[in-house]
Structure formats: C-alpha cells, structure tokens
C-alpha cells in the first residue's frame, strides 16, 4: 500500500494542451474582438467543413447547444416523438424536451453500445419525427440500417457525434451522414476548446436557419455579410455562438489532430494486447470496432462480469491511484425520466446490463506506455485475485 501510494496518480482524463493554445488566446485578447462569429470562428468553421467533408458547420457554445439547435430546426410540436438510446448523455434527451417533443428511449446493441436498429423499428409510431443515433466512444451507430428505416418512415436523422469527431463510418465522417449532426469540444472530448461544439448539416436551408437561431433569432449574420441593411428578430432563437477566444484554442487543437489520434489509437491497441488474456479467460469483454467503422478512440471501456465486480474494480483502481469510472446511468431509469416521462415500467435489459458492467479506463495523449501497462496490470490483479 505504501509503495503504491508513492506512485504518481493516473487521472481518468487530461486535455492535451500546449503553448500554442496560450499564444492563440493571447493573440485574440490583443485583437480586442472576443465575441463570436468573427474571423477566427469562421476560419475554424471552414477548417471543419474541409477536414470532415461537411457542407456547413457552425460553431456553438457546446455540443448540448448544437443538439438544441438541431431539435429546434425540426419544428416539433407537442405530442411529437423523437427516438434516442437510453444509454446516452442527458443532453440528447434535454434537447428533445426543450424543443417541445417527447423522448422515446430505445435499446442498444451488445456489439457497439449504439442504437439497436431492430428496437428502433419497433418504437416508431405515427407521431415519431426523428431519431438521434449516438456514436458511442467514437464508434459509429449502424447508420445504413438507421438511415433506411428513417427514409421508409420519413424521420429526420440527427447524429449525436459529440464523441465522434474525426471518426468515420464507411469512409464518411460522423456528424455528416444524417440530416444534421452535433460535435462537442468539451474538456473531456478528443479536441477541446474548454466548452464548445459545432452544428453540422448538408442542407443550405437548415444552415441558414441555424445561423438565425444561434444569433438570438436575428438575421445578424445576413447583415454582417451585407445581405440586408438592418438586422431584426425573424425567428425563435438563443445565444449559441462560440467566443473567438475558444475558437482560437480549437483551431490549434484541430491542427494537432493527427498527433492526438495517433496516440489514442496506440493506447487503444496496447490495452487490447495487454487485456487480451483476460478477455480469453472471459473475465472481461473488450470493445469492438466493426469493419465499417474507423474509431477516434474517444473512450476505452471493458465490460466486466457483473455490477458488483465492476464497482469493486473502480474502488480498487482508485486505491492504486488510477482514475477509472463507470458511464451513463440509463436515462429511462433516471429520477427525472421516471417522474416526467413515465418510464418506470420500460424494460431495456441490454442497456441496464451494459450500464452496470462497463468500466472506462484512462485514455489520452499524455498517458505513457508505462501508465497503460500499470493500469492493465492493476486490473488483471483485481480480476484474478480471489477476494474482491
Ligand atoms: C459530451 C456529450 C454531449 C454534450 O456535449 P457538451 O459539449 O458537453 O455540451 C452530448 N452527447 C454526448 C453523447 C456527449 O458525449
């Protein structure tokens, strides 16, 4: 115990930041123009459209806000339903409710922990308007099947690609496959601006309306481009524009994308090798990246045999100075959903089992090979010792 506590702690996450970000922020401060939709924000938007082959990209104050914009653009009415996995972050569901519709939770697949296309089909009613596939851990949902169902039932597809920046499905970047998509640049994601996000769409019409929503419901963006001579209130909106200060940080981060991706991919492979024997002896299950997907290795998770073992592993890794953690409490079983959406009797057994057994391990560019080996060895000891 004594020897262990002298080892340095390995935190669960650490954003990859250097001097270039500080210099970029300083430059913006010097310019005196700190608010958003300026030269730098626009340059970063162009960069995003080019890098990820998106038609339109609008920087937003968060991934949450990009999802809110996407939902507002659907013109949902009371009684409309939007299907999403229960195994996701709260923002996916909040965006639906804030736009006046009802979230309908669906099951996930065992393989990638993303929307189960069959269960999605079963939950479609005459009131269903859209589906939000969530690309978990940087691995795409089964987009071909989801798009097929959506087309047949005339549903909009909004990709929650908060965790999917720079990841692909059949050669296409996540966030650019559906009608619209949302990215996040929160500290916990692969590329960070502190708080931040982006709304993506292939539709000129949606992009134009998104600009208005983002600018408090005014056509100020048209005014700045000289398309109208005064700007005014033309739609319902909010304040979703990313500050130039944060856009400057993001610009540097996107330049680092190869380095960040390379390191994350390397760590993922190391974990897969080191934990392979534990998977073979069925003490845990390793993550799957299907052939159709190129991951950005946002999360490295393993699935343990039961919840008790998972919780004990988190506690014991913590004692060894290693930050490992669970993930989502399924939304359908959350206090808010039970109280306001009547989900008490909803049964999503795969979701519940995954949520109870999933363990996330540290993965970020600053993590050394030795750190990875220490995490893997600690986990091996915990899972193979007789007494938990
Ligand atoms: C991070 C995340 C969000 C929210 O992004 P923020 O930028 O933190 O608002 C939404 N959905 C998923 C799946 C996420 O992981």
């Amino acid at each position: 115990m004594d020897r262990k506590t002298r080892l340095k702690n390995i935190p669960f996450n650490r954003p990859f930041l250097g001097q270039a970000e500080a210099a970029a922020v300083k430059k913006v401060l010097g310019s005196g123009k700190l608010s958003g939709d300026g030269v730098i924000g626009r340059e970063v938007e162009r960069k995003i459209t080019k890098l990820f082959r998106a038609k339109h990209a609008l920087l937003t104050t968060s991934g949450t806000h990009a999802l809110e914009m996407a939902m507002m653009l659907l013109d949902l009415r009371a009684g409309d339903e939007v299907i999403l996995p229960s195994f996701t972050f709260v923002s996916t569901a909040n965006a639906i409710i804030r736009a006046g519709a009802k979230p309908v939770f669906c099951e996930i697949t065992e393989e990638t922990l993303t929307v189960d296309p069959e269960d999605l089909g079963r939950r479609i009613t005459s009131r269903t308007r859209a589906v939000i596939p969530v690309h978990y851990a940087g691995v795409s949902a089964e987009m071909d099947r989801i798009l097929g169902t959506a087309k047949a039932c005339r549903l909009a597809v909004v990709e929650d690609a908060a965790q999917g920046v720079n990841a692909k499905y059949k050669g296409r970047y996540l966030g650019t496959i559906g009608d619209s998509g949302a990215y996040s640049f929160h500290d916990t994601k692969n590329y960070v601006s502190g708080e931040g996000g982006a709304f993506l769409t292939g539709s000129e019409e949606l992009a134009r309306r998104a600009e208005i929503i983002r600018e408090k419901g005014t056509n100020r963006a048209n005014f700045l481009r000289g398309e109208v001579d005064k700007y005014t209130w033309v739609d319902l909106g909010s304040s979703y524009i990313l500050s130039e200060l944060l856009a400057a940080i993001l610009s540097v981060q996107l330049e680092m994308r190869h380095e960040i991706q390379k390191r994350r991919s390397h760590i993922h492979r190391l974990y897969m090798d080191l934990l392979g024997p534990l998977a073979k002896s069925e003490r845990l299950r390793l993550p799957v990246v299907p052939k159709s997907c190129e991951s950005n290795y946002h999360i490295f998770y393993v699935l343990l045999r039961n919840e008790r073992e998972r919780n004990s592993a988190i506690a014991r890794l913590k004692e060894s100075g290693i930050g490992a953690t669970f993930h989502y409490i399924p939304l359908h079983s959350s206090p808010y959903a039970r109280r306001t959406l009547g989900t008490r009797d909803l049964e999503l057994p795969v979701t519940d089992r995954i949520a109870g057994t999933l363990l996330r391990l540290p993965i970020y560019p600053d993590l050394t090979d030795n750190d990875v080996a220490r995490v893997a060895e600690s986990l091996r000891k915990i899972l193979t010792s007789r007494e938990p």
Side-chain angles (χ1 to χ4, degrees):
M1 194 69 203
D2 259 341
R3 197 168 46 81
K4 271 185 196 162
T5 49
R6 257 181 270 124
L7 286 169
K8 82 175 163 73
N9 281 347
I10 300 176
F12 174 67
N13 185 48
R14 191 206 298 270
F16 188 56
L17 295 164
Q19 285 311 305
E21 284 87 351
V25 167
K26 205 168 164 199
K27 205 168 146 198
V28 176
L29 282 172
S31 79
K33 156 78 178 160
L34 313 186
S35 62
D37 202 16
V39 178
I40 296 165
R42 296 224 175 133
E43 179 195 306
V44 175
E45 286 171 350
R46 271 197 302 277
K47 197 180 271 184
I48 288 173
T49 56
K50 222 172 105 197
L51 291 179
F52 307 126
R53 298 199 295 272
K55 213 144 172 208
H56 304 277
L58 278 81
L59 289 178
T60 58
T61 30
S62 66
T64 301
H65 286 164
L67 286 168
E68 284 184 20
M69 277 177 37
M71 286 299 113
M72 285 173 81
L73 286 164
L74 296 178
D75 294 320
L76 298 167
R77 286 191 229 144
D80 285 349
E81 297 173 356
V82 177
I83 302 176
L84 76 162
S86 175
F87 190 70
T88 182
F89 189 56
V90 292
S91 295
T92 326
N94 272 321
I96 298 166
I97 298 176
R98 295 187 67 85
K102 182 185 165 196
V104 172
F105 298 112
C106 78
E107 189 59 288
I108 52 173
T109 65
E110 300 263 5
E111 191 185 40
T112 60
L113 323 189
T114 58
V115 166
D116 176 345
E118 257 165 55
D119 193 57
L120 164 68
R122 284 195 287 270
R123 293 185 194 278
I124 293 172
T125 70
S126 59
R127 307 188 125 181
T128 310
R129 296 283 317 280
V131 52
I132 312 184
V134 177
H135 304 303
Y136 185 72
V139 172
S140 179
E142 292 179 39
M143 290 308 285
D144 277 352
R145 291 181 68 189
I146 294 170
L147 290 171
T149 301
K151 195 167 178 205
C153 303
R154 298 190 183 190
L155 311 180
V157 177
V158 174
E159 296 175 73
D160 183 338
Q163 301 177 15
V165 184
N166 203 26
K168 290 184 199 167
Y169 173 77
K170 298 192 175 174
R172 297 166 76 185
Y173 284 97
L174 305 191
T176 69
I177 302 166
D179 297 287
S180 62
Y183 284 169
S184 169
F185 305 114
H186 186 266
D187 263 4
T188 52
K189 301 302 200 290
N190 288 23
Y191 313 100
V192 310
S193 62
E195 301 277 355
F199 169 82
L200 295 105
T201 182
S203 153
E204 174 79 30
E205 190 200 333
L206 284 186
R208 286 283 163 141
R209 281 189 61 208
E211 257 184 356
I212 289 166
I213 291 174
R214 189 177 68 155
E215 187 62 282
K216 300 96 183 166
T218 75
N219 55 354
R220 185 161 178 270
N222 302 73
F223 170 72
L224 293 176
R225 282 195 297 265
E227 294 162 4
V228 292
D229 60 9
K230 289 188 193 70
Y231 72 88
T232 181
W233 190 17
V234 294
D235 201 345
L236 184 62
S238 193
S239 182
Y240 291 147
I241 296 179
L242 190 71
S243 159
E244 290 279 276
L245 284 166
L246 300 183
I249 296 176
L250 181 56
S251 180
V252 176
Q253 288 271 303
L254 290 174
E255 288 304 316
M256 309 279 279
R257 70 193 178 282
H258 294 306
E259 200 178 334
I260 292 173
Q261 171 78 11
K262 206 171 127 199
R263 190 64 208 156
R264 282 180 172 274
S265 155
H266 172 78
I267 293 167
H268 180 97
R269 224 171 317 120
L270 264 183
Y271 273 136
M272 294 296 275
D273 288 347
L274 295 168
L275 299 174
L278 287 173
K280 233 181 201 149
S281 59
E282 295 185 353
R283 286 194 161 84
L284 56 75
R285 208 208 82 185
L286 291 168
V288 175
V289 181
K291 282 214 162 53
S292 54
C293 300
E294 283 172 54
S295 181
N296 64 7
Y297 306 104
H298 173 60
I299 289 170
F300 189 89
Y301 67 84
V302 294
L303 299 169
L304 301 189
R305 288 176 299 191
N306 56 61
E307 186 159 1
R308 189 184 50 79
E309 193 172 57
R310 191 274 310 267
N311 294 347
S312 146
I314 292 175
R316 293 180 66 189
L317 285 168
K318 193 173 170 194
E319 284 168 20
S320 320
I322 295 166
T325 182
F326 54 90
H327 211 177
Y328 308 125
I329 309 289
L331 293 183
H332 76 283
S333 57
S334 67
Y336 186 74
R338 281 165 163 248
R339 198 166 71 238
T340 64
L341 302 169
T343 53
R344 205 172 291 268
D345 296 327
L346 179 59
E347 282 181 24
L348 299 172
V350 178
T351 296
D352 286 339
R353 183 156 28 83
I354 298 285
T357 56
L358 186 141
L359 174 71
R360 288 184 293 160
L361 302 177
I363 182 167
Y364 43 87
D366 284 333
L367 201 68
T368 67
D369 288 11
N370 279 338
D371 292 336
V372 176
R374 199 178 121 204
V375 174
E377 178 55 16
S378 300
L379 186 59
R380 188 192 67 76
K381 276 194 189 138
I382 290 165
L383 296 182
T384 54
S385 68
R386 248 167 239 280
E387 278 304 306

